[in-house]
Amino acid sequence: MTTITPESLWLIGVSMTRFGRYPDRDAFDLGAEAALDALDDAGVGIADMDVLAAGSVNQARLYPAQRIQKLIGQTGIPAFNVLNACATGATAVRVVAQAIKAGEATMGLAVGCEQMGKMGLLGAAGTPGVPERFIPAGHDGHVVPTEGILGTSMMPGIFAQAGMRYASENDGVGFEQFARVAEKNHQHSTLNPLAQYRKAFSFEQIVNAEMIGYPNTTLMCCPTGDGAAAAVIVSGERLATMPLATKKRAVKISASVLTSDPWSPDGLVQPDISTLTRNAARQAYETAGVEPSDLDLVELHDCFATAELIHYDNLELCERGGAGEFIDRGAPWRDGEIPVNVSGGLLSKGHPLGATGVANLFEVATHLRGEAGDRQIEGAKIGLTHVIGLGSACSIHILERSGL
């Protein structure tokens, strides 16, 4: 049973807007909507907050914390503006959690918001010299050129290269396995009313879509868009004084981890998403006192299909080198051994950069509460969220259902 102790951390309110495109609203309007909904979900108000952290990537210089306060109520509390690439929202959650852990607050609000519109794929890049064994039958093998043989700074290129490296080092991983990740997530999104896109695509449609950076086709890349998500976090000591109904819906934050790239004597050619995630995952499991096999669902950073497959391995959801077999046997589908991205993931739910990290917490917490509707993972007790911000940062949270 998950008990309430004074030093524990809990989510008592979570929310997210539907991800999409909102040409008539700015990021702060969306952030305010998510913040007010999270406060309502928690049964508290802005006057109950001791600290606020808000983050955005494209709107970071416009002081999202203060702008959101002006829309929902200014109370003089500390307000932190957070920027940590795609890990921005999750970092805002950690800022609030750390303030509570430090004894400077007992309850706080974390918000992630973003307005991206239709920005394209953040630059097209591919991987030169694709080995023939990785080019599927019926595909002409066309690859969008990279910036150069030494690598690329564009996200499609970075994650294409990471996927190809993993495929070259492990048997049973190729174009088909990466495409199956996208097939799964698009199918999952059909059950999520807050997803940016709710359309299933066949395996054939995915592999024959326009190639962006081999092996990722358009349908294996996340869309850009707008949206926001928010979370109300409280100390165990404060939660103990709250109504029983609040305690029953509370979700424990058993681990909150943030890492960056470790030092390497070889220098850094491109961000090492694998080492980054493995280090954060091991810290999180040890802090929470759980193992990967204990997880009932995972929301991980699938900005590209290649990224999700690699992270099966990095998060220890499968045996080392076994990510291809893991997807082949259906383990990460919503009816599989460890459901992954039942929200539709970034590939379908959308990826408004600053909002993503908090939205992942919303998704897992909703399942742990038993409130996920048609996409509910029955009996879910423990879940993990993972997000990477290249530059670099990796944030992992492990959440547990209340035992009350």
Side-chain angles (χ1 to χ4, degrees), residues 145-224:
T146 63
E147 294 179 4
I149 195 168
L150 295 180
T152 174
S153 62
M154 300 297 183
M155 293 303 106
I158 287 174
F159 285 95
Q161 291 166 0
M164 293 304 293
R165 178 177 179 177
Y166 187 83
S168 70
E169 294 174 347
N170 298 284
D171 294 334
V173 179
F175 187 77
E176 291 186 4
Q177 283 67 42
F178 294 124
R180 287 194 180 103
V181 169
E183 181 185 19
K184 169 183 69 71
N185 289 356
H186 288 304
Q187 180 63 49
H188 284 174
S189 73
T190 64
L191 300 176
N192 184 2
L194 298 179
Q196 182 167 346
Y197 296 110
R198 301 180 65 192
K199 182 177 180 180
F201 291 93
S202 69
F203 179 82
E204 289 72 23
Q205 287 176 306
I206 292 166
V207 299
N208 290 311
E210 179 185 3
M211 185 61 68
I212 300 300
Y214 194 90
N216 290 312
T217 67
T218 301
L219 293 175
M220 296 158 72
C221 302
C222 68
T224 59

Side-chain angles (χ1 to χ4, degrees), residues 289-376:
V290 303
E291 291 297 330
S293 58
D294 296 320
L295 300 174
D296 296 305
L297 75 160
V298 172
E299 286 287 309
L300 63 76
H301 196 75
D302 62 315
C303 47
F304 300 90
T306 49
E308 175 165 330
L309 193 91
I310 293 169
H311 291 315
Y312 297 156
D313 196 320
N314 296 335
L315 293 170
E316 303 178 33
L317 306 183
C318 63
E319 294 182 0
R320 183 61 63 91
E325 191 272 336
F326 188 73
I327 186 69
D328 282 345
R329 72 171 189 263
W333 283 76
R334 63 182 310 277
D335 58 354
E337 299 160 33
I338 303 180
V340 176
N341 288 335
V342 295
S343 66
L346 279 57
L347 296 184
S348 281
K349 181 181 67 178
H351 186 23
L353 304 180
T356 290
V358 191
N360 286 353
L361 291 168
F362 165 84
E363 181 68 21
V364 171
T366 300
H367 285 272
L368 299 183
R369 288 171 158 185
E371 299 172 358
D374 291 340
R375 68 186 188 283
Q376 176 69 44

Side-chain angles (χ1 to χ4, degrees), residues 97-300:
Q98 291 297 94
I100 294 173
K101 283 285 191 180
E104 297 180 351
T106 61
M107 189 184 303
L109 176 64
V111 185
C113 60
E114 199 75 44
Q115 187 174 47
M116 300 175 71
K118 194 171 183 179
M119 294 178 64
L121 289 163
L122 305 181
T127 306
V130 176
E132 185 176 350
R133 73 185 181 94
F134 290 120
I135 299 176
H139 200 287
D140 64 7
H142 173 70
V143 179
V144 179
T146 63
E147 294 179 4
I149 195 168
L150 295 180
T152 174
S153 62
M154 300 297 183
M155 293 303 106
I158 287 174
F159 285 95
Q161 291 166 0
M164 293 304 293
R165 178 177 179 177
Y166 187 83
S168 70
E169 294 174 347
N170 298 284
D171 294 334
V173 179
F175 187 77
E176 291 186 4
Q177 283 67 42
F178 294 124
R180 287 194 180 103
V181 169
E183 181 185 19
K184 169 183 69 71
N185 289 356
H186 288 304
Q187 180 63 49
H188 284 174
S189 73
T190 64
L191 300 176
N192 184 2
L194 298 179
Q196 182 167 346
Y197 296 110
R198 301 180 65 192
K199 182 177 180 180
F201 291 93
S202 69
F203 179 82
E204 289 72 23
Q205 287 176 306
I206 292 166
V207 299
N208 290 311
E210 179 185 3
M211 185 61 68
I212 300 300
Y214 194 90
N216 290 312
T217 67
T218 301
L219 293 175
M220 296 158 72
C221 302
C222 68
T224 59
D226 315 327
V232 176
I233 305 164
V234 64
S235 68
E237 183 176 14
R238 182 74 176 270
L239 179 61
T241 68
M242 302 183 81
L244 180 60
T246 301
K247 296 174 185 175
K248 287 184 175 181
R249 295 182 72 242
V251 172
K252 185 180 180 182
I253 303 176
S254 297
S256 176
V257 171
L258 181 66
T259 63
S260 58
D261 277 330
W263 178 83
S264 169
D266 300 322
L268 186 66
V269 176
Q270 68 178 36
D272 185 353
I273 63 173
S274 291
T275 300
L276 188 64
T277 295
R278 286 171 184 161
N279 289 348
R282 188 35 50 192
Q283 286 185 41
Y285 293 136
E286 291 175 359
T287 299
V290 303
E291 291 297 330
S293 58
D294 296 320
L295 300 174
D296 296 305
L297 75 160
V298 172
E299 286 287 309
L300 63 76

